Amino acid sequence: MRVLLDTNIILDFFLEREPFFQLASEVFEAIAAECIEGLISASSATDIFYICKRQTQNLEQTRQILTQTLTLLSVCPVDYTVLNTALNSGLVDFEVIYPKLYPFAALPLMRINRS
């Protein structure tokens, strides 16, 4: 199964943020075991870098977190078609549209967030 991870799930895992760390850990264990394929939106990478740098105050640690993120997860591409479709979809949140925009996936793409 392919899953799109919300930025907060990634931050919860790498920054060990409670009370969500355990759930995020389980998601990443499933990814490492190749039970699921993890994906992030392209915009998540910049958000992860910014938030990690602000919270850790450590550029090298921030780079390591983003490197690990990009090693473990695939990045959903964002181009004109994706943005235009999301803009015209009527949805309030662009990330919600991702599962509907990637029908090329052999398996369904689901979104994982804290809810």
Side-chain angles (χ1 to χ4, degrees):
M1 175 182 300
R2 300 175 66 146
V3 295
L4 178 67
L5 301 182
D6 183 83
T7 302
N8 280 314
I9 299 294
I10 298 162
L11 293 170
D12 293 342
F13 176 71
F14 284 108
L15 298 176
E16 299 182 14
R17 301 190 310 187
E18 294 296 344
F20 305 105
F21 175 68
Q22 183 59 40
L23 174 63
S25 251
E26 291 172 14
V27 171
F28 274 89
E29 285 174 16
I31 291 168
E34 298 182 359
C35 296
I36 59 175
E37 179 185 356
L39 297 101
I40 61 170
S41 66
S43 62
S44 288
T46 56
D47 295 342
I48 291 164
F49 189 89
Y50 173 78
I51 294 167
C52 285
K53 186 170 181 247
R54 188 182 66 201
Q55 292 215 346
T56 66
Q57 298 293 306
N58 184 318
L59 181 59
E60 186 54 36
Q61 183 181 3
T62 298
R63 289 177 192 259
Q64 288 174 356
I65 289 170
L66 191 56
T67 298
Q68 288 177 301
T69 299
L70 296 175
T71 299
L72 291 168
L73 307 173
S74 300
V75 180
C76 290
V78 176
D79 58 15
Y80 175 82
T81 302
V82 171
L83 293 174
N84 195 45
T85 302
L87 183 62
N88 292 308
S89 70
L91 291 173
V92 180
D93 184 350
F94 271 25
E95 283 190 352
V96 173
I97 195 71
Y98 270 108
K100 296 172 177 36
L101 293 179
Y102 294 99
F104 61 83
L107 298 171
L109 176 61
M110 298 176 61
R111 183 176 182 209
I112 293 183
N113 58 28
R114 289 180 179 167
S115 307

